[in-house]
Coordinates of all heavy atoms in Angstrom, one line a residue:
M236 N -31.6 -86.0 -11.9 CA -32.1 -86.8 -10.8 C -33.0 -87.9 -11.3 O -33.0 -89.0 -10.9 CB -32.7 -85.9 -9.8 CG -32.8 -86.5 -8.4 SD -31.1 -86.9 -7.6 CE -31.6 -88.4 -6.8
K237 N -33.8 -87.6 -12.3 CA -34.9 -88.6 -12.8 C -34.0 -89.8 -13.5 O -34.3 -90.9 -13.4 CB -35.7 -87.9 -14.0 CG -36.8 -87.3 -13.4 CD -38.0 -87.2 -14.5 CE -38.9 -86.0 -14.2 NZ -38.8 -84.8 -15.0
I238 N -32.8 -89.3 -14.2 CA -32.2 -90.4 -14.9 C -31.5 -91.2 -13.9 O -31.5 -92.5 -14.0 CB -31.1 -89.8 -15.9 CG1 -31.6 -88.7 -16.7 CG2 -30.3 -90.7 -16.5 CD1 -30.7 -87.9 -17.5
I239 N -31.0 -90.8 -12.8 CA -30.3 -91.4 -11.7 C -31.4 -92.4 -11.1 O -31.0 -93.6 -10.8 CB -29.8 -90.5 -10.7 CG1 -28.6 -89.8 -11.2 CG2 -29.5 -91.1 -9.4 CD1 -27.9 -88.8 -10.3
D240 N -32.6 -92.0 -10.8 CA -33.6 -92.9 -10.4 C -33.9 -94.0 -11.4 O -33.9 -95.2 -11.0 CB -34.9 -92.1 -10.2 CG -35.1 -91.6 -8.7 OD1 -34.4 -92.1 -7.9 OD2 -35.8 -90.6 -8.5
A241 N -34.0 -93.6 -12.7 CA -34.5 -94.6 -13.7 C -33.3 -95.6 -13.9 O -33.5 -96.8 -14.2 CB -34.7 -93.8 -15.0
Q242 N -32.0 -95.2 -13.7 CA -30.8 -96.1 -13.9 C -30.6 -96.9 -12.6 O -29.7 -97.8 -12.6 CB -29.6 -95.3 -14.2 CG -29.7 -94.6 -15.6 CD -29.7 -95.7 -16.8 OE1 -28.9 -96.6 -16.6 NE2 -30.3 -95.4 -17.8
G243 N -31.2 -96.8 -11.6 CA -31.1 -97.4 -10.4 C -29.9 -97.3 -9.6 O -29.3 -98.0 -8.8
C244 N -29.3 -96.1 -9.9 CA -27.9 -95.7 -9.2 C -28.2 -95.8 -7.6 O -27.2 -96.1 -6.8 CB -27.5 -94.3 -9.4 SG -27.5 -94.0 -11.2
L245 N -29.3 -95.4 -7.2 CA -29.7 -95.3 -5.7 C -29.8 -96.8 -5.0 O -29.8 -96.9 -3.9 CB -30.9 -94.5 -5.4 CG -30.9 -93.1 -5.9 CD1 -32.1 -92.3 -5.6 CD2 -29.6 -92.4 -5.3
G246 N -29.9 -97.8 -6.0 CA -29.8 -99.2 -5.5 C -28.5 -99.4 -4.7 O -28.4 -100.2 -3.8
C247 N -27.4 -98.7 -5.2 CA -26.1 -98.9 -4.5 C -25.6 -97.7 -4.0 O -24.7 -97.7 -3.0 CB -25.2 -99.3 -5.7 SG -25.6 -100.9 -6.4
H248 N -26.1 -96.4 -4.3 CA -25.4 -95.2 -3.8 C -26.5 -94.4 -3.0 O -27.5 -94.3 -3.6 CB -24.8 -94.3 -5.1 CG -23.7 -94.9 -5.7 ND1 -22.5 -94.9 -5.3 CD2 -23.7 -95.6 -7.0 CE1 -21.7 -95.6 -6.1 NE2 -22.5 -96.0 -7.2
T249 N -26.0 -93.8 -2.1 CA -26.8 -92.8 -1.3 C -26.5 -91.3 -1.8 O -25.4 -91.0 -2.1 CB -26.5 -92.8 0.1 OG1 -27.0 -94.0 0.6 CG2 -27.2 -91.7 0.9
I250 N -27.5 -90.6 -2.1 CA -27.4 -89.1 -2.5 C -28.4 -88.5 -1.6 O -29.5 -88.8 -1.6 CB -27.8 -89.0 -3.9 CG1 -26.7 -89.5 -4.9 CG2 -27.9 -87.4 -4.2 CD1 -27.0 -89.3 -6.3
D251 N -27.9 -87.6 -0.8 CA -28.7 -86.8 0.2 C -29.6 -87.6 1.1 O -30.8 -87.5 1.2 CB -29.7 -85.8 -0.6 CG -28.7 -84.6 -1.1 OD1 -27.6 -84.4 -0.6 OD2 -29.2 -84.0 -2.0
G252 N -29.0 -88.7 1.6 CA -29.7 -89.4 2.6 C -30.6 -90.5 2.1 O -31.4 -91.1 2.8
K253 N -30.8 -90.7 0.7 CA -31.6 -91.6 0.0 C -31.0 -92.6 -0.7 O -30.1 -92.1 -1.6 CB -32.6 -90.7 -0.8 CG -33.8 -91.6 -1.2 CD -34.8 -90.7 -2.0 CE -35.1 -91.3 -3.3 NZ -35.3 -90.4 -4.4
G254 N -31.1 -93.8 -0.5 CA -30.5 -94.8 -1.4 C -29.7 -95.9 -0.7 O -29.8 -96.1 0.6
G255 N -28.9 -96.8 -1.3 CA -28.3 -97.9 -0.8 C -26.9 -97.6 -0.2 O -26.3 -96.6 -0.6
A256 N -26.3 -98.6 0.2 CA -24.9 -98.6 0.7 C -23.9 -99.6 0.2 O -22.9 -99.8 0.7 CB -24.9 -98.7 2.3
V257 N -24.2 -100.1 -1.1 CA -23.4 -101.0 -1.8 C -22.2 -100.3 -2.3 O -21.0 -100.7 -2.0 CB -24.1 -101.8 -2.9 CG1 -23.2 -102.6 -3.7 CG2 -25.3 -102.5 -2.4
G258 N -22.3 -99.2 -2.8 CA -21.2 -98.4 -3.4 C -21.0 -97.2 -2.5 O -21.9 -96.9 -1.6
P259 N -20.0 -96.3 -2.8 CA -19.7 -95.1 -1.9 C -20.9 -93.9 -2.0 O -21.6 -93.9 -2.9 CB -18.6 -94.5 -2.5 CG -18.2 -95.2 -3.7 CD -19.1 -96.5 -3.7
N260 N -21.1 -93.4 -0.9 CA -22.0 -92.3 -0.8 C -21.6 -91.2 -1.8 O -20.6 -90.8 -1.8 CB -22.0 -91.7 0.6 CG -23.1 -90.8 0.8 OD1 -23.5 -90.0 -0.1 ND2 -23.8 -90.8 2.0
L261 N -22.5 -90.8 -2.8 CA -22.2 -89.7 -3.7 C -22.5 -88.3 -3.3 O -22.4 -87.4 -4.0 CB -22.9 -90.1 -5.0 CG -22.5 -91.4 -5.7 CD1 -23.3 -91.7 -7.0 CD2 -21.0 -91.5 -5.9
S262 N -23.0 -88.2 -2.0 CA -23.5 -86.8 -1.7 C -22.5 -85.8 -1.8 O -22.8 -84.6 -1.9 CB -24.2 -86.8 -0.4 OG -25.1 -87.9 -0.3
Q263 N -21.2 -86.2 -1.7 CA -20.2 -85.2 -1.7 C -19.1 -85.4 -2.8 O -18.0 -85.2 -2.7 CB -19.5 -85.0 -0.4 CG -20.4 -84.7 0.7 CD -19.8 -84.1 2.0 OE1 -18.5 -84.5 2.3 NE2 -20.6 -83.3 2.7
E264 N -19.6 -86.0 -3.9 CA -18.7 -86.6 -4.9 C -17.9 -85.4 -5.5 O -16.7 -85.5 -5.9 CB -19.6 -87.2 -6.0 CG -18.7 -87.8 -7.1 CD -17.7 -89.0 -6.7 OE1 -18.0 -89.6 -5.6 OE2 -16.7 -89.3 -7.3
G265 N -18.6 -84.1 -5.5 CA -17.8 -83.1 -6.1 C -16.6 -82.6 -5.3 O -15.7 -82.0 -5.9
N266 N -16.3 -83.1 -4.1 CA -15.3 -82.8 -3.3 C -14.2 -83.7 -3.5 O -13.1 -83.6 -2.9 CB -15.5 -82.7 -1.8 CG -16.5 -81.5 -1.5 OD1 -16.4 -80.5 -2.1 ND2 -17.3 -81.8 -0.4
R267 N -14.4 -84.8 -4.2 CA -13.4 -85.8 -4.3 C -12.3 -85.6 -5.4 O -11.3 -86.3 -5.5 CB -14.1 -87.2 -4.7 CG -14.4 -87.9 -3.4 CD -14.7 -89.4 -3.9 NE -16.1 -89.7 -3.5 CZ -16.6 -90.5 -2.6 NH1 -15.6 -91.2 -1.8 NH2 -17.7 -90.6 -2.4
G268 N -12.5 -84.5 -6.2 CA -11.5 -84.1 -7.2 C -11.5 -84.8 -8.5 O -10.6 -84.9 -9.3
H269 N -12.5 -85.6 -8.8 CA -12.7 -86.4 -10.1 C -13.3 -85.2 -11.0 O -14.1 -84.5 -10.8 CB -13.6 -87.5 -9.9 CG -13.1 -88.6 -9.1 ND1 -11.8 -89.1 -9.2 CD2 -13.7 -89.2 -8.1 CE1 -11.6 -90.1 -8.2 NE2 -12.7 -90.1 -7.6
S270 N -12.8 -85.3 -12.3 CA -13.3 -84.5 -13.3 C -14.6 -85.1 -13.8 O -15.0 -86.3 -13.6 CB -12.4 -84.5 -14.5 OG -12.3 -85.8 -15.2
V271 N -15.5 -84.3 -14.5 CA -16.7 -84.6 -15.1 C -16.4 -85.9 -16.0 O -17.2 -86.9 -16.1 CB -17.5 -83.5 -15.9 CG1 -18.6 -84.2 -16.6 CG2 -17.9 -82.5 -14.8
H272 N -15.4 -85.8 -16.7 CA -14.9 -86.8 -17.7 C -14.7 -88.1 -16.8 O -15.3 -89.4 -17.3 CB -13.7 -86.5 -18.5 CG -13.2 -87.6 -19.3 ND1 -14.0 -88.0 -20.5 CD2 -12.3 -88.4 -19.2 CE1 -13.2 -89.1 -21.0 NE2 -12.3 -89.3 -20.2
W273 N -14.1 -88.0 -15.8 CA -13.7 -89.3 -14.9 C -15.0 -90.0 -14.6 O -15.2 -91.2 -14.6 CB -12.9 -88.9 -13.8 CG -12.4 -90.1 -12.9 CD1 -11.2 -90.7 -13.1 CD2 -13.1 -90.8 -12.0 NE1 -11.1 -91.8 -12.1 CE2 -12.2 -91.8 -11.4 CE3 -14.3 -90.7 -11.4 CZ2 -12.6 -92.7 -10.5 CZ3 -14.8 -91.6 -10.4 CH2 -13.9 -92.6 -10.0
I274 N -16.0 -89.1 -14.1 CA -17.3 -89.7 -13.7 C -18.0 -90.3 -14.9 O -18.7 -91.4 -14.7 CB -18.1 -88.6 -13.0 CG1 -17.4 -88.2 -11.7 CG2 -19.5 -89.0 -12.7 CD1 -18.0 -86.9 -11.0
E275 N -18.0 -89.6 -16.1 CA -18.5 -90.3 -17.2 C -18.1 -91.7 -17.6 O -18.7 -92.7 -17.7 CB -18.4 -89.4 -18.5 CG -19.2 -88.1 -18.5 CD -19.0 -87.3 -19.8 OE1 -18.1 -87.7 -20.6 OE2 -19.6 -86.3 -19.9
V276 N -16.8 -91.8 -17.4 CA -16.2 -93.1 -17.6 C -16.5 -94.0 -16.5 O -16.9 -95.2 -16.8 CB -14.5 -93.0 -17.7 CG1 -13.9 -94.4 -17.6 CG2 -14.1 -92.1 -18.9
Q277 N -16.6 -93.6 -15.3 CA -17.1 -94.5 -14.2 C -18.4 -95.0 -14.4 O -18.8 -96.1 -14.1 CB -17.0 -93.6 -12.9 CG -17.5 -94.4 -11.6 CD -16.6 -95.6 -11.2 OE1 -15.4 -95.5 -11.4 NE2 -17.1 -96.5 -10.6
I278 N -19.3 -94.1 -15.0 CA -20.8 -94.6 -15.2 C -20.8 -95.5 -16.4 O -21.5 -96.4 -16.3 CB -21.7 -93.3 -15.4 CG1 -21.7 -92.4 -14.1 CG2 -23.0 -93.7 -15.9 CD1 -22.3 -91.1 -14.3
Q279 N -20.1 -95.3 -17.4 CA -20.3 -96.1 -18.6 C -19.5 -97.4 -18.6 O -20.1 -98.4 -18.8 CB -19.7 -95.3 -19.8 CG -20.8 -94.9 -20.7 CD -20.3 -94.2 -22.1 OE1 -19.3 -93.7 -22.1 NE2 -21.2 -94.4 -23.0
T280 N -18.2 -97.2 -18.0 CA -17.4 -98.4 -18.1 C -16.4 -98.4 -16.8 O -15.3 -98.2 -16.9 CB -16.3 -98.4 -19.4 OG1 -15.7 -97.0 -19.3 CG2 -17.1 -98.8 -20.5
P281 N -17.1 -98.7 -15.6 CA -16.5 -98.6 -14.3 C -15.2 -99.6 -14.2 O -14.3 -99.4 -13.4 CB -17.6 -99.0 -13.3 CG -18.8 -99.4 -13.9 CD -18.6 -98.9 -15.5
K282 N -15.2 -100.6 -15.0 CA -14.1 -101.6 -15.0 C -12.8 -101.0 -15.6 O -11.7 -101.4 -15.1 CB -14.5 -102.8 -15.8 CG -15.4 -103.7 -15.1 CD -15.6 -105.0 -15.7 CE -16.6 -105.8 -14.9 NZ -17.9 -105.1 -14.7
V283 N -12.9 -99.8 -16.2 CA -11.6 -99.1 -16.7 C -10.9 -98.6 -15.3 O -9.7 -98.6 -15.4 CB -12.0 -97.9 -17.5 CG1 -10.8 -97.0 -17.8 CG2 -12.5 -98.5 -18.9
H284 N -11.6 -98.1 -14.2 CA -11.1 -97.7 -13.1 C -10.7 -98.8 -12.1 O -9.8 -98.8 -11.4 CB -12.0 -96.7 -12.4 CG -12.2 -95.5 -13.2 ND1 -13.3 -94.7 -13.1 CD2 -11.3 -94.7 -14.1 CE1 -13.2 -93.6 -14.0 NE2 -11.9 -93.7 -14.6
D285 N -11.6 -99.8 -12.2 CA -11.2 -100.9 -11.2 C -11.8 -102.3 -11.7 O -13.2 -102.5 -11.8 CB -12.0 -100.6 -9.9 CG -11.9 -101.8 -8.8 OD1 -11.2 -102.8 -9.1 OD2 -12.3 -101.6 -7.7
P286 N -11.0 -103.1 -12.3 CA -11.4 -104.2 -13.1 C -12.3 -105.2 -12.1 O -13.0 -106.0 -12.7 CB -10.0 -105.0 -13.3 CG -9.0 -104.0 -13.2 CD -9.5 -102.9 -12.3
S287 N -12.2 -105.1 -10.8 CA -13.0 -105.9 -9.9 C -14.3 -105.3 -9.4 O -15.0 -105.9 -8.6 CB -12.0 -106.5 -8.8 OG -11.8 -105.4 -7.9
T288 N -14.6 -104.1 -9.9 CA -15.8 -103.4 -9.3 C -17.0 -104.3 -9.6 O -17.1 -105.0 -10.7 CB -15.9 -102.1 -10.0 OG1 -16.9 -101.2 -9.3 CG2 -16.2 -102.1 -11.5
I289 N -18.0 -104.1 -8.8 CA -19.3 -104.6 -9.0 C -20.3 -103.7 -9.7 O -21.4 -104.1 -9.8 CB -19.9 -105.2 -7.7 CG1 -20.0 -104.2 -6.6 CG2 -19.1 -106.4 -7.2 CD1 -21.1 -104.5 -5.6
M290 N -19.8 -102.4 -9.9 CA -20.6 -101.5 -10.4 C -20.8 -101.8 -12.0 O -19.8 -102.0 -12.6 CB -20.1 -100.0 -10.3 CG -21.0 -99.0 -11.0 SD -20.5 -97.4 -10.4 CE -21.1 -96.4 -11.9
P291 N -22.1 -101.9 -12.4 CA -22.3 -102.3 -13.7 C -22.1 -101.2 -14.8 O -22.3 -100.1 -14.4 CB -23.8 -102.8 -13.7 CG -24.5 -102.0 -12.7 CD -23.4 -101.8 -11.6
D292 N -21.9 -101.6 -16.0 CA -21.9 -100.6 -17.0 C -23.2 -99.9 -17.2 O -24.2 -100.7 -17.2 CB -21.4 -101.2 -18.5 CG -20.0 -101.7 -18.4 OD1 -19.3 -101.6 -17.4 OD2 -19.6 -102.1 -19.5
H293 N -23.4 -98.6 -17.5 CA -24.6 -98.0 -17.7 C -24.5 -97.4 -19.2 O -23.7 -96.8 -19.5 CB -24.9 -97.0 -16.7 CG -25.2 -97.5 -15.3 ND1 -24.3 -97.8 -14.5 CD2 -26.4 -97.9 -14.8 CE1 -24.9 -98.2 -13.3 NE2 -26.1 -98.3 -13.6
H294 N -25.5 -97.8 -20.0 CA -25.5 -97.4 -21.3 C -26.6 -96.1 -21.5 O -27.6 -96.4 -21.7 CB -25.9 -98.5 -22.3 CG -25.0 -99.7 -22.1 ND1 -23.7 -99.7 -22.5 CD2 -25.1 -100.9 -21.3 CE1 -23.0 -100.9 -22.1 NE2 -23.9 -101.5 -21.4
L295 N -26.0 -95.0 -21.4 CA -26.8 -93.7 -21.5 C -26.4 -93.0 -22.8 O -25.3 -93.2 -23.3 CB -26.5 -92.8 -20.3 CG -26.7 -93.3 -18.8 CD1 -26.3 -92.2 -17.9 CD2 -28.0 -93.7 -18.6
N296 N -27.3 -92.3 -23.3 CA -27.0 -91.5 -24.5 C -26.1 -90.4 -24.1 O -26.0 -90.1 -22.8 CB -28.1 -91.0 -25.4 CG -29.0 -90.0 -24.5 OD1 -28.4 -89.1 -24.1 ND2 -30.2 -90.1 -24.6
P297 N -25.3 -89.8 -24.9 CA -24.2 -88.8 -24.5 C -24.8 -87.6 -23.7 O -24.1 -87.0 -22.8 CB -23.7 -88.3 -25.9 CG -24.0 -89.5 -26.8 CD -25.1 -90.2 -26.3
V298 N -26.1 -87.2 -24.1 CA -26.7 -86.1 -23.3 C -27.0 -86.5 -21.9 O -26.7 -85.8 -21.0 CB -27.9 -85.6 -24.0 CG1 -28.6 -84.5 -23.4 CG2 -27.6 -85.1 -25.4
Q299 N -27.6 -87.7 -21.7 CA -27.9 -88.1 -20.3 C -26.8 -88.4 -19.6 O -26.6 -88.0 -18.4 CB -28.6 -89.5 -20.5 CG -30.0 -89.4 -21.1 CD -30.6 -90.8 -21.1 OE1 -29.9 -91.7 -21.6 NE2 -31.9 -91.0 -20.7
L300 N -25.6 -88.8 -20.2 CA -24.4 -89.2 -19.5 C -23.8 -87.8 -19.0 O -23.3 -87.8 -17.8 CB -23.3 -89.9 -20.4 CG -22.1 -90.3 -19.8 CD1 -22.3 -91.4 -18.9 CD2 -21.1 -90.9 -21.0
K301 N -23.7 -86.9 -19.8 CA -23.2 -85.6 -19.4 C -24.0 -84.9 -18.3 O -23.5 -84.5 -17.3 CB -23.2 -84.6 -20.6 CG -22.5 -83.3 -20.4 CD -21.3 -83.3 -21.2 CE -20.3 -82.3 -20.5 NZ -18.9 -82.7 -21.0
T302 N -25.3 -85.1 -18.4 CA -26.2 -84.5 -17.4 C -26.1 -85.2 -16.1 O -25.8 -84.6 -15.0 CB -27.7 -84.8 -17.8 OG1 -28.0 -84.3 -19.1 CG2 -28.7 -84.2 -16.8
V303 N -25.9 -86.6 -16.0 CA -25.7 -87.3 -14.8 C -24.3 -87.0 -14.2 O -24.2 -86.6 -13.0 CB -25.9 -88.8 -15.1 CG1 -25.6 -89.5 -13.7 CG2 -27.4 -89.2 -15.3
A304 N -23.4 -87.0 -15.0 CA -22.0 -86.8 -14.6 C -21.8 -85.3 -13.9 O -21.2 -85.1 -13.0 CB -20.9 -87.0 -15.6
T305 N -22.5 -84.4 -14.7 CA -22.3 -83.0 -14.1 C -23.0 -82.8 -12.9 O -22.6 -82.1 -12.0 CB -22.9 -82.0 -15.3 OG1 -22.2 -82.3 -16.6 CG2 -22.7 -80.6 -15.0
Y306 N -24.3 -83.5 -12.8 CA -25.0 -83.4 -11.5 C -24.2 -84.1 -10.4 O -24.1 -83.4 -9.4 CB -26.3 -84.1 -11.8 CG -27.2 -84.3 -10.5 CD1 -27.6 -83.2 -9.8 CD2 -27.2 -85.5 -9.8 CE1 -28.3 -83.3 -8.6 CE2 -27.9 -85.6 -8.6 CZ -28.4 -84.5 -8.0 OH -29.0 -84.7 -6.8
V307 N -23.7 -85.2 -10.6 CA -23.0 -85.8 -9.6 C -21.8 -85.1 -9.1 O -21.5 -84.9 -8.0 CB -22.5 -87.4 -10.0 CG1 -21.5 -87.9 -8.9 CG2 -23.8 -88.2 -10.1
D308 N -21.1 -84.5 -10.1 CA -19.9 -83.7 -9.8 C -20.2 -82.4 -9.1 O -19.4 -81.7 -8.4 CB -19.1 -83.3 -11.1 CG -17.9 -82.6 -10.9 OD1 -16.9 -83.1 -10.2 OD2 -17.6 -81.5 -11.6
S309 N -21.5 -82.0 -9.2 CA -21.9 -80.8 -8.5 C -22.2 -80.9 -7.0 O -22.5 -80.0 -6.2 CB -23.1 -80.1 -9.2 OG -24.3 -80.9 -8.9
L310 N -22.3 -82.2 -6.6 CA -22.7 -82.5 -5.1 C -21.5 -82.3 -4.2 O -20.6 -82.8 -4.5 CB -23.2 -84.0 -5.2 CG -24.3 -84.5 -5.9 CD1 -24.6 -85.9 -5.9 CD2 -25.7 -83.6 -5.6
K311 N -21.8 -81.3 -3.3 CA -20.8 -81.0 -2.4 C -21.3 -80.8 -0.9 O -22.3 -80.4 -0.8 CB -19.9 -79.6 -2.8 CG -19.4 -79.8 -4.1 CD -18.6 -78.7 -4.6 CE -17.9 -79.1 -5.8 NZ -17.6 -78.2 -6.8
Ligands
HEC80 C1 -24.6 -102.7 -8.4 C2 -24.3 -101.4 -7.6 C3 -24.0 -100.1 -8.4 C4 -24.8 -99.5 -9.1 C5 -26.2 -99.8 -9.7 C6 -24.2 -98.2 -9.4 N1 -23.0 -98.1 -8.7 FE1 -21.6 -96.6 -8.8 N2 -20.4 -97.7 -7.7 C7 -20.6 -98.9 -7.1 C8 -19.4 -99.3 -6.4 C9 -19.3 -100.6 -5.6 C10 -18.5 -98.3 -6.4 C11 -17.1 -98.3 -5.8 C12 -16.0 -98.1 -6.7 C13 -15.6 -99.3 -7.5 O1 -15.8 -100.5 -7.1 O2 -15.4 -99.0 -8.7 C14 -19.0 -97.3 -7.3 C15 -18.4 -96.2 -7.7 C16 -19.1 -94.9 -8.4 C17 -18.4 -93.7 -8.4 C18 -17.0 -93.3 -8.0 C19 -17.0 -92.9 -6.6 C20 -15.7 -92.4 -6.2 O3 -15.4 -91.2 -6.3 O4 -14.9 -93.2 -5.8 C21 -19.4 -92.9 -9.1 C22 -19.2 -91.4 -9.5 C23 -20.6 -93.8 -9.3 N3 -20.3 -95.0 -8.8 C24 -21.7 -93.3 -9.8 C25 -22.8 -94.1 -10.3 C26 -24.0 -93.6 -11.0 C27 -24.2 -92.2 -11.5 C28 -24.8 -94.8 -11.1 C29 -26.0 -94.8 -12.0 C30 -25.9 -94.5 -13.3 C31 -24.2 -95.9 -10.4 N4 -22.9 -95.4 -9.8 C32 -24.7 -97.1 -10.2 C33 -21.8 -99.7 -7.2 C34 -22.9 -99.3 -8.1

């Protein structure tokens, strides 16, 4: 959650009632059926999933990336 704060994800996404509405609400991301790997790709290189996305690339180290993706995937 600290990494998510530091990366500014909440500027665009809402988690548990806190954050912005530019991107989809992530509070139930775990129910969408994406794998942790898919979420990692989305965080690092969202253009792979949607070339026109406004979500910026986030450059996290592999441990941080795994931590954030696992956390987001656990939200149900
Ligand atoms: C500038 C706004 C912005 C920021 C900052 C941002 N995102 Fe996004 N995000 C989006 C938008 C818009 C989408 C919608 C899908 C698309 O356009 O690719 C999205 C989609 C997603 C999705 C896929 C949701 C789904 O299931 O369809 C995930 C997961 C995600 N973002 C996680 C994150 C995380 C984690 C961070 C911080 C590291 C972050 N985002 C930062 C705008 C943003």
Side-chain angles (χ1 to χ4, degrees):
M236 197 66 213
K237 271 200 205 111
I238 307 171
I239 289 183
D240 268 340
Q242 289 292 321
C244 312
L245 298 182
C247 293
H248 294 285
T249 292
I250 294 177
D251 286 342
K253 196 176 127 212
V257 178
N260 189 320
L261 296 181
S262 302
Q263 301 197 334
E264 186 61 23
N266 288 333
R267 270 193 245 245
H269 296 309
S270 64
V271 171
H272 174 73
W273 188 95
I274 295 172
E275 287 182 356
V276 172
Q277 176 71 29
I278 293 169
Q279 250 187 336
T280 50
K282 287 187 177 56
V283 169
H284 293 150
D285 178 358
S287 65
T288 186
I289 56 157
M290 179 165 155
D292 292 3
H293 290 86
H294 305 284
L295 304 179
N296 72 40
V298 175
Q299 291 178 318
L300 187 61
K301 186 108 204 161
T302 305
V303 172
T305 305
Y306 171 71
V307 169
D308 186 56
S309 76
L310 300 172
K311 296 189 173 147

